[in-house]
């Protein structure tokens, strides 16, 4: 079974960035195949990794629903949908990327969703790691990972508002029937010494802080220039901070 690493948190706090940095860390370790999953309908993990995304699971669902009779002869609907998912998988030497894309529109998509979910689950078994970048809500996570997550980072920026979102997600977890093995707060763009009010709020949430990723001007430059975060140098501030967190929480 693959180790599932996922990120959740308020919009814009840095989930996609951290997911890309974790991917960068894991690819450097060469510890088995990695599947990156972009589970945000406004997907941009691919862009952050310098990849062009041409097809998503959402597109496959729409294509099929528009013309359910359009299955090539000699194939049944399960084979056909599985083939489309395989074609949508972006395969790179260091990792593969699957983009979930838009969620369901109107109408009943249950059968198609079941086939797609079963197949993505089957597919994930081939990887040592699965890195899932989520939307701010958590619905995808519970639907796409058969509910099992090895490490869930609740990402917040250095703000009480970000922490309140962390608190809300944390209290939602049980109702989502998620089996989370390990859970920790990850602070982005924070100072070395966190303030008293911030730490007080953290103490009330009662979760450990995995680490703080400092504000990294080099990372921001990469973002502006649309350069892949995989190409950040080893000595960049954010890369080093993520290495420290990963070595403690997911040693390879
Ligand atoms: N440590 C950091 N240093 C500098 N800039 C950062 C850092 N972390 C994130 N950013 C910048 O903050 C912005 C938002 O980050 P990101 O897209 O990762 O957030 P997000 O939580 O995925 O947002 P969304 O909820 O919209 O998906 C990006 O422009 C990113 O480059
Ligand atoms: Mg994002």
């Amino acid at each position: 079974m693959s180790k599932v690493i996922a990120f959740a948190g308020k919009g814009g706090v840095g989930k996609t960035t951290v997911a890309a940095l974790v991917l960068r860390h894991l690819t450097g370790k060469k510890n088995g195949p990695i599947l990156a999953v972009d589970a945000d309908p406004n997907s941009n993990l691919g862009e952050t990794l310098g990849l062009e995304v041409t097809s998503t699971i959402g597109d496959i669902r729409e294509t099929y629903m528009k013309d359910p009779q359009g299955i090539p002869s000699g194939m049944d609907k399960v084979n056909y949908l599985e083939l489309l998912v395989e074609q949508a998988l972006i395969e790179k030497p260091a990792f593969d990327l699957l983009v979930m894309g838009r969620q369901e529109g109107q109408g009943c998509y249950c059968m198609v969703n079941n086939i797609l979910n079963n197949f993505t689950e089957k597919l994930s078994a081939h990887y040592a790691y699965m890195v899932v970048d989520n939307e701010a809500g958590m619905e995808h996570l519970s639907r796409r990972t058969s509910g099992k997550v090895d490490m869930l980072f609740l990402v917040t920026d250095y703000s009480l508002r970000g922490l309140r979102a962390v608190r809300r997600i944390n209290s939602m977890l049980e109702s989502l029937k998620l089996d989370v093995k390990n859970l920790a707060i990850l602070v982005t763009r924070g100072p070395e010494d966190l303030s008293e009010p911030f730490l007080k709020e953290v103490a009330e949430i009662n979760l450990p802080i995995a680490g703080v990723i400092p504000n990294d001007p080099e990372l921001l430059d990469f973002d502006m220039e649309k350069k892949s975060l995989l190409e950040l140098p080893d000595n960049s501030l954010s890369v080093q901070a993520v290495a420290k967190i990963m070595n403690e929480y997911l040693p390879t």
Side-chain angles (χ1 to χ4, degrees):
M1 263 315 265
S2 58
K3 265 202 165 64
V4 179
I5 308 165
F7 308 87
K10 194 170 84 66
V13 290
K15 299 176 292 295
T16 302
T17 303
V18 187
L21 291 169
V22 163
L23 264 173
R24 186 197 176 285
H25 177 84
L26 289 174
T27 53
K29 294 284 174 191
K30 298 197 169 52
N31 214 9
I34 305 164
L35 177 64
V37 179
D38 187 345
D40 186 339
N42 303 310
S43 19
N44 62 355
L45 180 63
E47 202 175 289
T48 312
L49 302 170
L51 301 176
E52 200 187 326
V53 175
T54 48
S55 175
T56 71
I57 298 290
D59 298 336
I60 293 169
R61 191 193 298 114
E62 291 302 321
T63 309
Y64 177 79
M65 292 305 280
K66 260 192 211 135
D67 182 17
Q69 309 308 324
I71 302 172
S73 62
M75 285 188 119
D76 64 22
K77 59 176 173 280
V78 176
N79 302 143
Y80 179 51
L81 284 165
E82 291 188 352
L83 176 76
L84 292 178
V85 175
E86 270 168 12
Q87 287 173 351
L89 192 68
I90 300 173
E91 292 173 288
K92 291 277 137 192
F95 64 92
D96 294 347
L97 171 68
L98 193 62
V99 181
M100 303 317 283
R102 271 167 305 154
Q103 297 186 41
E104 301 82 82
Q106 288 175 339
C108 183
Y109 290 73
C110 311
M111 180 276 296
V112 181
N113 278 334
N114 281 342
I115 296 172
L116 293 174
N117 286 350
N118 287 345
F119 187 64
T120 45
E121 207 173 298
K122 229 173 19 181
L123 189 75
S124 71
H126 297 296
Y127 296 89
Y129 293 95
M130 203 168 142
V131 178
V132 188
D133 177 26
N134 281 285
E135 57 187 330
M138 294 284 289
E139 284 74 19
H140 265 93
L141 190 61
S142 52
R143 269 188 278 144
R144 306 293 184 210
T145 59
S146 63
K148 185 186 102 25
V149 178
D150 293 276
M151 181 74 228
L152 177 61
F153 288 112
L154 298 183
V155 183
T156 178
D157 55 2
Y158 185 49
S159 77
L160 292 183
R161 263 207 243 164
L163 269 184
R164 288 194 188 118
V166 164
R167 187 198 283 247
R168 254 194 320 277
I169 295 167
N170 186 35
S171 57
M172 253 169 67
L173 284 178
E174 214 162 306
S175 63
L176 286 175
K177 296 201 191 87
L178 269 182
D179 173 15
V180 179
K181 294 219 167 58
N182 206 354
L183 187 61
I185 297 172
L186 200 160
V187 184
T188 58
R189 309 176 98 164
E192 225 167 284
D193 293 318
L194 301 171
S195 72
E196 278 300 318
F198 192 85
L199 289 173
K200 188 165 167 271
E201 188 88 12
V202 169
E204 281 172 22
I205 299 171
N206 198 20
L207 285 175
I209 294 183
V212 180
I213 301 177
N215 187 47
D216 184 349
E218 194 172 20
L219 187 153
L220 207 54
D221 285 347
F222 267 60
D223 196 63
M224 295 282 185
E225 288 163 27
K226 296 198 172 144
K227 271 162 72 180
S228 164
L229 295 189
L230 298 172
E231 279 156 32
L232 276 169
D234 287 343
N235 65 0
S236 95
L237 294 174
S238 49
V239 167
Q240 289 192 343
V242 166
K244 192 159 162 247
I245 292 166
M246 291 295 283
N247 289 337
E248 185 182 341
Y249 279 80
L250 288 145
T252 50

